[in-house]
Amino acid sequence: MCRSPSAEAVFKKKAADMGLILEIDSAGTAGYHKGVAPDKRSQAVGMERGYSFKGLKCRKVVVQDFEKFDYILGMDNQNIENLLKDCPEEFQHKVSLLLSFGASEEQEVPDPYYGGKGGFEYVLDLIEQGADGFIEHLKSTA
């Protein structure tokens, strides 16, 4: 409800700014907020930085995602564990932590849901770092 849609918004803008054509989608490992717009606090912080959340709706990861997408990026170790439980063995190599591509000393993007604006800003900082590192990874493997 907060981190995944924020990452989608960040990736879409960064890819567009660089002229990259990527299919980007976000989904959670739990379906608590299916069909709901992203958290208003995430949207507010993201929009302050020029990200669009227009049309984004929360959804749960489905098995078809593992086949369809080349990369499945989780925000924290619990996400990775949940993803790997549902991921067919032949696609498990696609699952990684977002921050494994970033320059951050952090390993995981924390859940800001119960915090204030500063937590949402920090999460967006980490997502931006991870997105930059991931895009560099894509460029280096192209």
Side-chain angles (χ1 to χ4, degrees):
M1 173 140 188
C2 1
R3 296 176 296 176
S4 295
S6 293
E8 181 177 350
V10 168
F11 271 105
K12 283 183 174 178
K13 181 173 185 338
K14 288 182 177 285
D17 289 350
M18 299 180 85
L20 299 173
I21 300 171
L22 303 174
E23 183 173 356
I24 301 163
D25 197 2
S26 61
T29 57
Y32 303 125
H33 303 284
K34 183 178 176 185
V36 176
D39 187 290
K40 291 185 186 310
R41 298 166 296 174
S42 289
Q43 290 188 58
V45 169
M47 288 187 294
E48 286 176 5
R49 297 190 195 181
Y51 300 113
S52 172
F53 291 79
K54 186 175 181 174
L56 295 185
K57 298 283 185 208
C58 298
R59 71 175 186 89
K60 187 179 186 306
V61 174
V62 294
V63 173
Q64 294 83 353
D65 291 332
F66 298 108
E67 183 175 352
K68 178 179 181 178
F69 294 101
D70 294 325
Y71 295 90
I72 308 288
L73 305 176
M75 296 293 163
D76 60 35
N77 288 321
Q78 185 63 57
N79 287 159
I80 298 298
E81 184 178 316
N82 292 339
L83 288 165
L84 291 174
K85 278 185 212 172
D86 294 334
C87 182
E89 190 173 327
E90 67 266 25
F91 301 121
Q92 290 193 358
H93 66 279
K94 297 180 177 186
V95 178
S96 303
L97 278 169
L98 171 65
L99 292 183
S100 68
F101 295 98
S104 173
E105 291 183 18
E106 296 287 343
Q107 299 272 319
E108 301 177 291
V109 178
D111 185 346
Y113 191 78
Y114 295 104
K117 182 179 179 182
F120 285 87
E121 290 171 338
Y122 180 63
V123 161
L124 193 55
D125 291 342
L126 292 174
I127 290 170
E128 288 173 333
Q129 291 170 24
D132 289 340
F134 182 75
I135 289 170
E136 285 302 315
H137 168 76
L138 289 179
K139 288 175 17 184
S140 72
T141 59

